[in-house]
Amino acid sequence: MLGSDIYRGSSYGGLHPLRVPRVSAVMDLARALGWLPPQRFRASPRAKAAALTLWHDADYIAALQEAEALARDGLALPADWRDRFGLGTLSNPLYPEMFRRPATGAGAMIWAGEALASVDRGVVHVPGAGTHHGMQGRAAGFCYLNDVVLGILALRRAGLRRIAYVDIDAHHSDGVEVAFAGQPDVLMISVHEEARWPFTGGVQDTAGGNGFNLPVPRGFNDSEMRLVLDRLILPRVAAHRPEAIVLQCGSDALEEDPLARLALSNRAHLAVVAGLRDLAPRLIVTGGGGYNPWSVARCWTAVWGLLSGQPLPDRLPPEAEAVLRGLHWNGGSRPLPGDHMYTTLLDAPREGAIRPVLRQRLALLEAR
């Protein structure tokens, strides 16, 4: 696992959904379970500006660095930067670590890509990465950089060609699609909530032929995800024969998330991880969306447990329970979770009916 304490000491601000603890909670919970000994953890390197121009525009990176300095000093941005670079908005506000924090996730992904390309087999978990909305020259959707794109480019620059990218975040991976549209060596699959920002990724959107987009209806459940896994994700990835897989494992598709209206349990995420794990010799699993600190911590820690070969407990030991009881919304008036969110790692299964619209959309994608 790659992580950093920069996630513990920084926030997008008191009114932003990313004010809640996430990556720090995963590190703390994994350590409380005894799953993160020093030899399995690496402090994430921070990408330098030159490395970020592997995809991002140099003038945007320079502006992002300057914006961080202005934010630390309490100064305003130049008047045109909001429109030009997407900085200083409600989604991508000014805060004192607004360059260093995303550059840490980007550095982790670049390191992961280079490290995995140098070995025959390997798995890296980067819960602080997954910023799939960032564009070449502007911030978007809480994403100042696109660490996913940078990680895939690092894999390819190191000599790997066939990459599969799978995204199960509640939001469409628009930035990744822009980066790799029309490049057949990069398979892209995005499963996301329909009619939700950024309002892209329709089932007819092929991204130049190498993209498979599946918008799913509200209330998307474990039974439906199992069908998607069996009929879309696994067969398409297997047919692609990737040298490496990147899985964006955003947890905003879980039922408890306040920014989406899907109904998955974290068992659905684990099933996707388990299904993909043996389809390529190299796997990078990132975080992504997720705005309920308890569901995020439990999901991504369980993912790490699966990846690192740990038995997942039915009930958490006291040290792990204490980590979850110590989490908070960090402002606002949302209620505290039920007791099971403190005492268990795995959700109860959330099965349900498989709706005709999902079968119809899967049939369209299977026919391509």
Side-chain angles (χ1 to χ4, degrees):
M1 180 189 293
L2 273 74
S4 171
D5 278 339
I6 197 169
Y7 302 105
R8 193 184 305 279
S10 64
S11 167
Y12 281 41
L15 299 178
H16 197 282
L18 281 175
R19 68 185 182 274
V20 300
R22 302 187 330 144
V23 180
S24 58
V26 174
M27 295 189 298
D28 292 346
L29 187 55
R31 287 186 174 122
L33 287 162
W35 293 356
L36 202 58
Q39 64 270 25
R40 287 196 165 182
F41 178 80
R42 181 183 178 91
S44 170
R46 183 182 303 152
K48 292 182 170 58
L52 298 174
T53 59
L54 182 64
W55 190 62
H56 289 286
D57 295 341
D59 61 342
Y60 171 64
I61 297 302
L64 184 58
Q65 290 179 292
E66 187 175 343
E68 179 180 270
L70 293 170
R72 287 201 306 268
D73 295 336
L75 301 176
L77 292 183
D80 66 332
W81 280 18
R82 181 186 179 99
D83 292 334
R84 182 180 174 191
F85 298 122
L87 300 174
T89 66
L90 289 175
S91 293
N92 292 91
L94 304 182
Y95 70 99
E97 300 83 15
M98 61 185 291
F99 173 77
R100 287 171 292 161
R101 176 167 160 157
T104 299
M109 288 298 288
I110 293 170
W111 182 91
E114 293 173 347
L116 285 180
S118 69
V119 297
D120 292 334
R121 302 192 68 84
V123 175
V124 181
H125 188 205
V126 193
T131 54
H132 57 177
H133 298 306
M135 296 296 177
Q136 278 183 287
R138 61 183 293 113
F142 310 168
C143 303
Y144 297 87
L145 300 172
N146 200 311
D147 50 41
V148 172
V149 170
L150 291 165
I152 294 173
L153 288 174
L155 286 164
R156 300 183 76 190
R157 188 173 61 171
L160 303 185
R161 304 311 306 164
R162 300 188 67 79
I163 312 297
Y165 174 66
V166 178
D167 191 308
I168 58 173
D169 192 287
H171 302 81
H172 175 238
S173 52
D174 55 339
V176 183
E177 183 171 297
V178 166
F180 298 110
Q183 299 184 34
D185 284 347
V186 181
L187 170 70
M188 297 182 290
I189 299 173
S190 180
V191 181
H192 48 271
E193 185 178 348
E194 65 183 2
R196 181 161 297 284
W197 191 93
F199 307 110
T200 53
V203 71
Q204 303 288 356
D205 172 14
T206 69
N210 59 313
F212 292 81
N213 286 302
L214 180 62
V216 299
R218 288 188 173 198
F220 183 60
N221 60 54
D222 287 5
S223 303
E224 292 176 317
M225 177 56 101
R226 189 176 306 112
L227 186 71
V228 170
L229 184 63
D230 291 342
R231 287 182 54 181
L232 173 64
I233 296 174
L234 296 184
R236 284 291 175 182
V237 172
H240 189 65
R241 303 186 310 280
E243 297 169 274
I245 297 170
V246 178
L247 170 63
Q248 203 270 23
C249 203
S251 62
D252 48 2
L254 298 176
E255 186 173 49
E256 296 85 0
D257 196 88
L259 264 62
R261 295 294 178 267
L262 304 181
L264 296 181
S265 76
N266 59 22
R267 293 174 185 265
H269 285 60
L270 293 172
V272 175
V273 174
L276 290 173
R277 185 173 47 183
D278 295 328
L279 294 185
R282 304 166 189 88
L283 173 65
I284 302 173
V285 180
T286 77
Y291 309 97
N292 178 314
W294 295 275
S295 60
V296 171
R298 293 165 73 249
C299 182
W300 294 348
T301 302
V303 166
W304 171 245
L306 177 63
L307 292 173
S308 58
Q310 309 293 337
L312 304 185
D314 292 326
R315 184 179 177 93
L316 291 171
E319 297 84 359
E321 181 178 337
V323 171
L324 292 171
R325 291 193 181 276
L327 299 180
H328 46 79
W329 287 108
N330 202 16
S333 57
R334 294 189 183 277
L336 294 175
D339 197 61
H340 71 284
M341 296 286 279
Y342 300 125
T343 59
T344 65
L345 193 64
L346 295 176
D347 298 327
R350 293 167 184 163
E351 308 293 345
I354 297 174
R355 286 164 284 183
V357 65
L358 186 67
R359 294 186 186 275
Q360 292 164 6
R361 291 172 185 170
L362 282 170
L364 286 172
L365 294 175
E366 287 177 311
R368 283 178 48 194

